[in-house]
């Protein structure tokens, strides 16, 4: 399917659904009002459905930020685990080298013992043969050098072993710290998602449908404002070969569910989708949206081309891939699937280009 037509059709559908939703009417959430206080003459006002939508959105935003923290801690923990394994291998090799050097030193000591414990220098002094003296002096010098080299190598190997052990201990402490961060972030994610779902579960079926329409309405208003700025008039660039592959991968995931921390193939979170798409295109990028914003080259919005990543919100907690025609493909949030929406439907922080 032509992706340009697909993106245009998707945005048109959003617009059409929004028109149905934009009645201007506020719907009450089904939560019962709190009990009246003694002497009160009227119940406290209930929240409108729009206020409920904003509350749910805020909870999912917090969950997204915590998801980024979890993903970053997981990525760092994986790197530290690999480093610990590497250091452990070096420690094993270093210990084996020390054992070998000690064996060689022991062999030299045993040879001297077999000679009656008399140092070579003493035996040399006792000889009255000049040639034997000269030959013996050369061998002594060679032996002394070999001994110094042996002791020097033993000292260096022991120092390396101590350094490897120290590094391994430091990496282990970092690993444990990141595991604590992961556990804390996981608790925060589950807490925010549970709070949002609790609110959604109290809504009647009709109210949930209207809530979805209000979400689309908010996205449409933001997208309309973005497009009315004339931004698309300045964007007329084609994707790079790698960018095309990334877009093809990302759009092929449409319809798969959002799951926090997921990197496919059956589900994704927002940065899991973009990082895997670019990995499929042969370009490794950071795992989280915050690290993508921090480390990837930034470009102006007017220079947007398909495959670029648009980072959203002040805390860089969301990311989508630009596919052209003012649209992105992204994994929105728990309870939603990978989909196409307007690139300006959320607050844009900036744009990064993985293959710049």
């Amino acid at each position: 399917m032509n992706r340009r037509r697909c993106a245009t059709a998707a945005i048109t559908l959003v617009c059409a659904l929004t028109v149905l939703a934009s009645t201007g009417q506020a719907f009450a959430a089904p939560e019962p009002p709190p009990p009246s206080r003694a002497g009160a003459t009227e119940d406290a006002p209930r929240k409108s459905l729009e206020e409920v939508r904003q509350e749910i959105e805020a909870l999912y935003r917090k969950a997204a930020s915590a998801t980024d923290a979890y993903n970053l801690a997981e990525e760092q923990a994986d790197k530290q685990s690999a480093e610990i394994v590497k250091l452990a291998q070096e420690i094993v090799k270093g210990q084996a080298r020390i054992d070998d050097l000690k064996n060689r030193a022991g062999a030299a000591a045993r040879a001297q013992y077999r000679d009656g414990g008399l140092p070579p220098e003493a035996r040399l002094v006792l000889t009255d043969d000049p040639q034997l003296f000269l030959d013996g002096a050369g061998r002594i010098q060679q032996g002394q050098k070999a001994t110094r080299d042996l002791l020097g190598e033993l000292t260096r190997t022991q120092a390396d072993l101590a350094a490897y052990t120290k590094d391994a201990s430091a990496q282990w402490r970092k690993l444990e710290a990141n595991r604590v961060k992961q556990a804390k972030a996981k608790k925060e994610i589950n807490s925010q998602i549970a709070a949002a779902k609790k609110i959604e579960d109290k809504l009647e079926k009709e109210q949930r449908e209207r809530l979805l329409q209000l979400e689309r309405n908010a996205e449409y208003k933001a997208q309309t404002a973005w497009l009315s700025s004339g931004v698309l008039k300045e964007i007329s660039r084609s994707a790079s070969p790698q960018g095309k592959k990334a877009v093809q991968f990302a759009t092929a995931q449409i319809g798969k569910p959002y799951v926090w921390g997921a990197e496919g193939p059956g589900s994704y979170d927002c940065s899991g989708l973009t990082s895997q798409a670019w990995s499929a295109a042969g370009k490794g990028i950071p795992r989280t949206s915050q690290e993508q914003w921090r480390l990837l080259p930034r470009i102006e919005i007017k220079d947007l081309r398909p495959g670029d990543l648009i980072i959203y919100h002040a805390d860089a907690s969301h990311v989508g891939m630009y596919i052209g025609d003012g649209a992105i493909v992204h994994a929105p949030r728990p309870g939603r699937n990978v989909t196409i929406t307007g690139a300006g439907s959320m607050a844009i922080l900036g744009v990064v280009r993985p293959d710049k």
Side-chain angles (χ1 to χ4, degrees):
M1 180 185 292
N2 184 284
R3 289 190 300 280
R4 183 179 293 271
R5 291 179 180 173
C6 177
T8 304
I11 295 172
T12 303
L13 176 59
V14 171
C15 298
L17 289 171
T18 302
V19 171
L20 295 176
S22 57
T23 60
Q25 182 179 358
F27 300 96
E31 298 180 78
S36 299
R37 295 185 303 275
T41 57
E42 60 182 35
D43 292 332
R46 292 182 294 176
K47 292 179 181 178
S48 70
L49 200 57
E50 172 59 21
E51 289 173 324
V52 171
R53 182 195 70 78
Q54 292 177 5
E55 184 177 358
I56 290 173
E57 181 180 313
L59 289 168
Y60 279 125
R61 283 274 309 281
K62 289 179 181 178
S65 184
T67 297
D68 239 31
Y70 176 90
N71 289 337
L72 180 58
E74 183 178 47
E75 184 178 40
Q76 290 174 337
D78 288 344
K79 289 179 181 177
Q80 282 145 8
S81 294
E83 186 63 24
I84 288 171
V85 170
K86 182 173 152 186
L87 287 167
Q89 291 170 340
E90 293 297 329
I91 288 171
V92 170
K93 287 192 291 186
Q95 189 60 59
R97 183 62 179 155
I98 286 175
D99 291 343
D100 176 63
L101 292 169
K102 285 182 176 179
N103 286 337
R104 287 165 58 188
R110 287 191 296 273
Q112 182 176 331
Y113 178 77
R114 285 194 299 270
D115 290 337
L118 193 64
E121 294 88 344
R123 294 196 303 273
L124 185 60
V125 169
L126 295 176
T127 183
D128 54 4
D129 187 329
Q131 186 59 46
L132 286 176
F133 182 87
L134 293 174
D135 293 343
R139 286 196 297 273
I140 288 173
Q141 287 179 338
Q142 292 174 354
Q144 288 174 338
K145 181 178 184 304
T147 301
R148 286 196 301 272
D149 291 346
L150 181 66
L151 292 174
E153 187 173 356
L154 180 60
T155 301
R156 287 192 299 273
T157 303
Q158 287 174 328
D160 289 343
L161 186 61
Y164 291 144
T165 303
K166 183 178 179 180
D167 287 347
S169 297
Q171 291 297 332
W172 183 262
R173 287 193 295 271
K174 289 179 182 178
L175 177 62
E176 289 303 304
N178 276 310
R179 283 175 175 165
V180 170
K181 289 180 183 178
Q182 277 182 276
K184 183 179 179 181
K186 183 176 182 179
K187 184 177 179 181
E188 175 70 10
I189 293 164
N190 289 331
S191 173
Q192 300 299 338
I193 291 176
K197 286 182 65 64
K198 183 178 179 180
I199 295 172
E200 290 179 307
D201 289 344
K202 290 181 179 179
L203 298 175
E204 300 292 338
K205 180 181 178 181
E206 181 183 354
Q207 289 176 314
R208 286 197 293 269
E209 291 173 352
R210 289 173 177 171
L211 182 68
L212 181 57
Q213 290 177 351
L214 285 174
E215 287 180 14
R216 290 168 174 164
N217 185 36
E219 291 176 356
Y220 173 67
K221 285 176 66 176
Q223 175 72 355
T224 300
W226 187 65
L227 293 177
S228 66
S229 69
V231 66
L232 281 188
K233 294 177 182 177
E234 300 181 10
I235 300 173
S236 58
R237 299 177 186 276
S238 299
S240 66
Q242 278 188 306
K244 288 179 181 178
K245 291 179 181 179
V247 169
Q248 287 170 354
F249 180 94
T251 52
Q253 312 313 309
I254 289 174
K256 294 183 179 180
Y258 176 106
V259 174
W260 68 265
E263 299 177 83
S267 58
Y268 297 88
D269 63 18
C270 66
S271 57
L273 176 65
T274 54
S275 61
Q276 288 300 305
W278 271 101
S279 177
K283 178 71 174 180
I285 65 172
R287 168 64 177 87
T288 71
S289 58
Q290 291 174 344
E291 289 295 281
Q292 289 169 6
W293 173 243
R294 187 173 74 88
L295 298 174
L296 294 179
R298 301 179 186 181
I299 63 168
E300 297 294 329
I301 290 181
K302 64 182 179 62
D303 296 324
L304 257 178
R305 71 185 187 193
D308 290 341
L309 305 182
I310 302 181
I311 310 296
Y312 293 96
H313 310 307
D315 59 355
S317 59
H318 191 69
V319 60
M321 179 178 291
Y322 187 66
I323 60 174
D325 292 326
I328 61 166
V329 57
H330 73 143
R333 66 166 177 81
R336 300 288 184 263
N337 298 330
V338 176
T339 188
I340 292 173
T341 192
S345 59
M346 296 167 282
I348 295 176
L349 177 62
V351 182
V352 295
R353 177 166 293 164
D355 59 341
K356 183 175 180 180

